[in-house]
Amino acid sequence: MIQKFKISRDDTWYEAWPDVVLTRGGKLICVFTQTTHHGDRSASRLVLIESMDRGRTWTNKRALTETTSGRPYWNCARISRLSGGRLAIVADRISGAKETNARNYLWFADDEGTEWSGPIETPLEGIVPDKLCELPSGRWLLSAHDRNGQWLRYSDNEGKDWSEPVLVASQEGLKLCEVSILPLQDGTLVAFLRENSGEGWDCYKTISRDSGESWSELYRTPLPGCHRPVAGLLQSGTVLITYRFMQGGKGWLGKWTQNFFAAITDQESAAAENRKDQWTRIMPVDYDRSPVSDLGYSGWVQFEDGEIYVVNYIVDDAPKGQIRGYSFRENDFLLEPAAAPGE
């Protein structure tokens, strides 16, 4: 059963594009953008909020950045826990019109996020970055997109030096963006991509078997209308993907979107090339009732006891965007078969 929690609602600001991390000490830290409006960045800053009780209650916001006035502005932040325990945030800073001339920056903190240092400029250009992804080898992957495709740079010395840009995905006729790179247990990397034509087409994916240095052709995934996928492995090895459902159709940009979904699949399906060789099970998580609905950039973690906690932004009953939390478990996707009589 899905439980919902208020993380932050401040009706003087549009709060959106959250992500969350679970620290070694069991604290949740959520980072999100506080701005004037989705379509108006005349004022904008990145903020942090924390919970010590598994997301049931949250502290007051504290600023990661100063409030900007117009361009350049901070856009979309993602937060990660690295193998050594310290925390990392990446965010894009946009200087040009229509989300152009963007560069990505990093912040780092101790294991519990007490003190943050940064921002540190990286050579990665583009908007809406994926999390800083650390591979078992220690390699860092950092990815963002521009109008020419989805790009990646990697570092083998913790960000001291970065590779030249690697093209993850680009195909004529498709508008591919907002990647989520998933390392599978066998070392394969699967990059799930939003398709942004407004046609409601499937999520696309591409596969790397050389730690991100080259990528395969594109394959379809049975996740129709998938915007801003956020993929990861659960403790069981099951793949969980949270995302905005975008049905497309007439006026899709004006009516925007109303549904926030979560899906599970397995690693074999994630790595499969043929759509018919993949299965997904899709669960509705929230519905935005607002006439100016807007939702679906998310992040999630799993506690040791199996509870999954998701963060998302939504308008719904607020005048502007607000941040919500959701709690559920893997078995909420599928009931255990009932025992036969007499068993």
Side-chain angles (χ1 to χ4, degrees):
M1 179 179 177
I2 298 173
Q3 295 179 280
K4 299 180 183 181
F5 305 96
K6 184 183 83 170
I7 295 178
S8 182
R9 174 174 168 174
D10 180 347
D11 292 349
T12 61
W13 291 101
Y14 205 91
E15 299 177 324
W17 313 295
D19 195 17
V20 68
V21 73
L22 177 64
T23 72
R24 281 181 167 178
K27 179 198 298 183
L28 292 178
I29 301 177
C30 177
V31 60
F32 58 92
T33 306
Q34 175 183 281
T35 190
T36 308
H37 190 270
H38 192 146
D40 179 1
R41 306 303 177 83
S42 54
S44 186
R45 69 172 180 170
L46 303 178
V47 298
L48 298 164
I49 193 168
E50 301 179 350
S51 174
M52 293 298 297
D53 58 4
R54 301 167 68 108
R56 275 55 181 174
T57 62
W58 294 80
T59 61
N60 292 328
K61 294 179 287 188
R62 61 186 176 110
L64 179 68
T65 68
E66 295 182 357
T67 302
T68 59
S69 178
R71 299 187 190 93
Y73 61 85
W74 298 107
N75 187 36
C76 186
R78 307 294 287 162
I79 188 167
S80 310
R81 190 177 89 188
L82 302 177
S83 59
R86 65 179 177 145
L87 308 179
I89 289 174
V90 58
D92 50 332
R93 186 171 182 260
I94 297 176
S95 301
K98 296 184 178 180
E99 297 186 324
T100 59
N101 193 14
R103 185 62 66 93
N104 288 269
Y105 293 76
L106 289 167
W107 292 258
F108 295 98
D110 57 273
D111 292 14
E112 297 302 312
T114 307
E115 298 288 340
W116 288 90
S117 61
I120 301 167
E121 185 174 356
T122 78
L124 180 69
E125 298 179 345
I127 67 170
V128 192
D130 188 16
K131 290 174 179 281
L132 176 63
C133 178
E134 183 181 34
L135 303 183
S137 66
R139 171 171 287 184
W140 287 1
L141 308 179
L142 201 55
S143 185
H145 72 269
D146 62 21
R147 294 180 180 181
N148 297 314
Q150 184 75 44
W151 299 89
L152 171 150
R153 288 181 185 256
Y154 60 86
S155 173
D156 291 318
N157 56 9
E158 297 188 336
K160 295 180 180 67
D161 301 289
W162 293 91
S163 71
E164 292 300 308
V166 175
L167 181 62
V168 177
S170 179
Q171 182 169 305
E172 187 175 355
L174 298 177
K175 296 181 179 180
L176 301 168
C177 58
E178 296 183 358
V179 78
S180 179
I181 297 175
L182 173 66
L184 302 182
Q185 290 172 335
D186 67 357
T188 300
L189 302 180
V190 183
F192 295 95
L193 293 142
R194 165 179 173 172
E195 200 292 309
N196 201 36
S197 66
E199 296 290 340
W201 291 336
D202 285 341
C203 175
Y204 281 79
K205 67 184 179 185
T206 177
I207 296 170
S208 174
R209 293 184 170 86
D210 56 9
S211 300
E213 295 182 25
S214 64
W215 294 86
S216 72
E217 63 183 280
L218 289 163
Y219 309 111
R220 292 165 59 205
T221 299
L223 292 174
C226 176
H227 275 206
R228 189 47 160 168
V230 178
L233 294 182
L234 298 174
Q235 294 162 5
S236 64
T238 298
V239 177
L240 173 66
I241 304 172
T242 55
Y243 64 99
R244 164 204 288 161
F245 173 67
M246 169 52 70
Q247 67 271 30
K250 182 180 178 180
W252 74 277
L253 283 174
K255 297 300 182 184
W256 205 222
T257 183
Q258 303 84 41
N259 292 283
F260 177 54
F261 289 171
I264 55 170
T265 187
D266 57 22
Q267 295 186 54
E268 182 180 9
S269 294
E273 299 176 1
N274 192 318
R275 193 182 195 277
K276 292 184 177 180
D277 293 332
Q278 306 169 57
W279 67 268
T280 57
R281 193 172 181 95
I282 300 169
M283 181 174 71
V285 178
D286 209 348
Y287 176 80
D288 194 331
R289 300 166 293 174
S290 171
V292 288
S293 56
D294 185 15
L295 81 172
Y297 280 52
S298 60
W300 60 267
V301 297
Q302 187 175 32
F303 293 100
E304 289 186 3
D305 65 1
E307 179 189 0
I308 300 162
Y309 193 92
V310 180
V311 300
N312 173 49
Y313 84 101
I314 189 168
V315 180
D316 197 36
D317 59 347
K320 300 181 180 181
Q322 60 180 306
I323 311 297
R324 271 189 190 160
Y326 310 85
S327 170
F328 53 86
R329 293 178 179 272
E330 186 176 343
N331 61 14
D332 287 319
F333 285 91
L334 181 65
L335 291 174
E336 294 293 332
E343 292 185 1

